[in-house]
Amino acid sequence: MSYTYAYPHPAVTTDIVVFTVENNKLRVLLIQRKLDPHQGNWALPGGFLDIDESIDTCAARELKEETGLEDIFLEQLYTFGAPDRDPRERVISIAYYALMPLQGVELKSGSDAADARWFDIDALPKLAFDHDEIIKLARERLTAKMDYSTLGLMFMPQSFTLSEVQSLYEIVSGQERDKRNFRKWLLGLECLIETGEKKSVGAHRPAMLYRLKDPDNLIITK
Amino acid sequence: MSYTYAYPHPAVTTDIVVFTVENNKLRVLLIQRKLDPHQGNWALPGGFLDIDESIDTCAARELKEETGLEDIFLEQLYTFGAPDRDPRERVISIAYYALMPLQGVELKSGSDAADARWFDIDALPKLAFDHDEIIKLARERLTAKMDYSTLGLMFMPQSFTLSEVQSLYEIVSGQERDKRNFRKWLLGLECLIETGEKKSVGAHRPAMLYRLKDPDNLIITK
DNA sequence: TCAAAAGTGTTAAGACTACACCCATGT
DNA sequence: ACATGGGTGTAGTCTTAACACTTTTGA
């Protein structure tokens, strides 16, 4: 089967920058390419748009197929389309970024990926295509949005302590925050509620567990 | 001549939301479609991506071809691609927005447009495709960015008075600003310099004309 | 000399930052 | 009993918001 058009058409793909925080580092998910071009190199998960699926659906589908991840925060980032970014044919890539909760970071290796691994964002391997550029932009967007929104909460599992949130914000932004001020800010947004449960993790006072009031709403505030 | 692929490929277009301010109203440029689908309806300027041009180039080229406008602020907005947004074939539209300086709003009617006109953003006609959705998003981005950046200066001609800038900000955001505070903020960004010239427009004191220190840098500040 | 927009500082309120001690628990 | 992270309030600084009169010009 083949498809014919009166004018040349580019191929369209989505690529997804999946972030998580693990071992006090901001990490990005990469897969090792099984096929040419760039065979053996590391690349962002992603793939070609099906002709009858929406772009968002494509991003979610590719993410699931290649990594097993699903139901995580996923947002369109930017569209990349330099004429020579893929040697096979003209390819337009609609980039997304996603935030993976801290727990349950086990990956099922998907069909198109020889291997999938988390990399420290400051120690990335050589990347296929223009994926270094995509990751750079995604990181800028992530840190910018976390500065004035509760986007960072999308990294959290169902329930979490305030110290865990603070630690996450510190790791992503690279700067420390005052404990009392951070808690004042976060609780002041009124998007969290106490679960009533506490979390005990060592020889010290247990911490209150919180959860999102409304899991779908990112409250944006200064 | 025809082009054949092993898998179906979508068509890729750019569409541009061109803003200006005229008669104390925020306006958007629309063209009347000469061809089906949506023949006779109003639509955003834009068109198909050439197979060997960059996306940015395509947006700038289409803008120039259809409206004669060139060398104005132009930035990628978002990519739209609902499967049924175009009845002809699957079309991915990479939306841009542009800011047209206040003066020189005369348009040369371009080749693909039967007619091009400015519309008050609050009184748009029935639009082709999903262009109403694109305009809505563009407006949100414009107002959000103007709140914390000097993006609004991209609406200004080469030289302008501070009152003109203030008036523009008020029209776009829909809310009045304190004259002294506005001037303090704007001058405090240190992106303007006095030209030395003054502008006399009526029976009152003439205003100092300013221009951008560095026409390429959008200074982003709170 | 009048009308109309340009230009100019100060004060009060609110937001943000810095900072230190007691609490609850496990070992 | 001690070591460890959890939890809490206040005072000082900085930023933002509110506010009114004088200046310069054309008619």
Side-chain angles (χ1 to χ4, degrees):
Chain A
M1 187 93 185
S2 73
Y3 300 84
T4 300
Y5 305 92
Y7 297 94
H9 280 40
V12 173
T13 66
T14 58
D15 287 306
I16 306 113
V17 183
V18 191
F19 291 108
T20 198
V21 170
E22 201 194 3
N23 281 118
N24 294 339
K25 293 282 182 184
L26 179 61
R27 289 172 192 267
V28 174
L29 184 62
L30 299 176
I31 60 168
Q32 194 164 32
R33 288 183 60 80
K34 287 197 286 202
L35 305 170
D36 258 331
H38 298 284
Q39 193 200 342
N41 277 1
W42 294 89
L44 293 170
F48 291 94
L49 177 73
D50 284 352
I51 203 65
D52 57 359
E53 73 182 343
S54 78
I55 309 176
D56 285 358
T57 303
C58 174
R61 177 181 56 73
E62 288 289 345
L63 181 63
K64 185 175 179 193
E65 283 178 11
E66 300 200 354
T67 67
L69 301 175
E70 92 188 285
D71 292 325
I72 63 178
F73 175 87
L74 184 62
E75 188 174 87
Q76 196 188 111
L77 173 66
Y78 195 80
T79 297
F80 292 81
D84 58 354
R85 62 182 292 284
D86 192 309
R88 292 167 292 185
E89 63 176 323
R90 183 73 195 276
V91 177
I92 304 298
S93 168
I94 306 167
Y96 280 68
Y97 70 108
L99 272 51
M100 169 73 195
L102 310 188
Q103 67 178 203
V105 187
E106 336 77 38
L107 301 168
K108 326 159 195 170
S109 198
S111 60
D112 287 0
D115 199 1
R117 262 190 233 157
W118 295 101
F119 285 83
D120 179 346
I121 196 165
D122 290 314
L124 296 172
K126 183 168 180 350
L127 292 165
F129 309 110
D130 52 2
H131 289 185
D132 50 348
E133 205 186 326
I134 298 177
I135 292 173
K136 182 161 168 282
L137 185 69
R139 184 187 197 169
E140 285 167 13
R141 183 96 130 238
L142 173 67
T143 52
K145 271 201 149 169
M146 279 182 61
D147 259 8
Y148 61 89
S149 82
T150 55
L151 177 60
L153 295 175
M154 300 294 108
F155 277 117
M156 291 291 131
Q158 277 228 311
S159 70
F160 46 83
T161 71
L162 299 184
S163 293
E164 287 165 353
V165 181
Q166 181 177 350
S167 161
L168 181 136
Y169 268 79
E170 288 176 343
I171 291 163
V172 175
S173 72
Q175 57 193 6
E176 301 209 339
R177 307 221 184 187
D178 178 85
K179 190 179 9 169
R180 278 173 290 192
N181 293 339
F182 184 81
R183 292 157 102 95
K184 226 180 299 173
W185 169 72
L186 188 51
L187 293 174
L189 300 175
E190 301 195 325
C191 60
L192 299 185
I193 48 180
E194 300 186 355
T195 60
E197 307 280 304
K198 300 204 172 188
K199 180 174 189 176
S200 229
V201 291
H204 57 83
R205 181 173 174 174
M208 175 62 69
L209 282 165
Y210 290 80
R211 62 180 175 77
L212 291 177
K213 218 179 248 177
D214 174 359
D216 298 325
N217 269 14
L218 278 188
I219 298 172
I220 309 275
T221 320
K222 288 188 201 179
Chain B
M1 187 91 184
S2 73
Y3 300 84
T4 300
Y5 306 91
Y7 296 95
H9 281 39
V12 173
T13 67
T14 59
D15 287 307
I16 306 113
V17 183
V18 191
F19 291 108
T20 199
V21 170
E22 201 193 4
N23 282 118
N24 294 341
K25 292 282 183 185
L26 179 61
R27 289 172 191 267
V28 175
L29 183 63
L30 299 176
I31 61 168
Q32 195 164 31
R33 288 183 59 81
K34 285 196 288 203
L35 305 170
D36 258 329
H38 299 283
Q39 193 199 344
N41 277 2
W42 295 89
L44 293 171
F48 292 94
L49 177 72
D50 284 351
I51 202 66
D52 56 0
E53 74 184 342
S54 78
I55 309 175
D56 285 358
T57 303
C58 175
R61 176 181 57 73
E62 289 289 347
L63 181 62
K64 185 175 180 194
E65 282 178 14
E66 300 199 355
T67 68
L69 301 175
E70 109 188 88
D71 292 324
I72 65 178
F73 174 88
L74 185 62
E75 188 174 86
Q76 195 187 112
L77 173 66
Y78 196 79
T79 296
F80 292 80
D84 58 353
R85 61 182 294 281
D86 192 310
R88 293 168 291 184
E89 62 175 324
R90 183 73 195 276
V91 177
I92 304 299
S93 168
I94 306 166
Y96 279 70
Y97 71 108
L99 272 51
M100 169 74 194
L102 310 188
Q103 67 178 205
V105 187
E106 335 78 37
L107 301 169
K108 324 158 197 171
S109 199
S111 57
D112 287 1
D115 199 1
R117 262 190 233 157
W118 294 102
F119 286 82
D120 180 346
I121 196 163
D122 291 314
L124 296 173
K126 184 169 176 353
L127 293 165
F129 310 109
D130 52 3
H131 289 185
D132 50 347
E133 205 186 326
I134 298 177
I135 291 173
K136 183 162 167 280
L137 185 68
R139 184 186 198 171
E140 286 167 13
R141 182 96 129 238
L142 173 66
T143 52
K145 270 202 149 169
M146 278 180 63
D147 259 8
Y148 61 88
S149 81
T150 56
L151 177 60
L153 295 174
M154 300 293 107
F155 278 116
M156 292 291 131
Q158 275 229 311
S159 70
F160 47 83
T161 71
L162 298 184
S163 294
E164 286 166 355
V165 181
Q166 182 178 350
S167 161
L168 180 136
Y169 268 80
E170 288 175 343
I171 291 164
V172 176
S173 71
Q175 56 194 4
E176 301 209 338
R177 306 220 184 188
D178 178 84
K179 187 171 26 159
R180 280 173 289 192
N181 293 340
F182 184 81
R183 293 158 102 96
K184 228 179 296 172
W185 169 71
L186 188 51
L187 294 174
L189 299 176
E190 301 196 325
C191 60
L192 299 185
I193 49 181
E194 299 187 353
T195 61
E197 307 280 304
K198 298 203 174 188
K199 180 174 190 176
S200 230
V201 289
H204 56 84
R205 179 171 176 176
M208 175 62 68
L209 283 164
Y210 289 80
R211 61 179 175 77
L212 291 178
K213 216 179 250 177
D214 174 359
D216 297 325
N217 270 15
L218 278 189
I219 298 174
I220 310 273
T221 319
K222 292 186 202 179

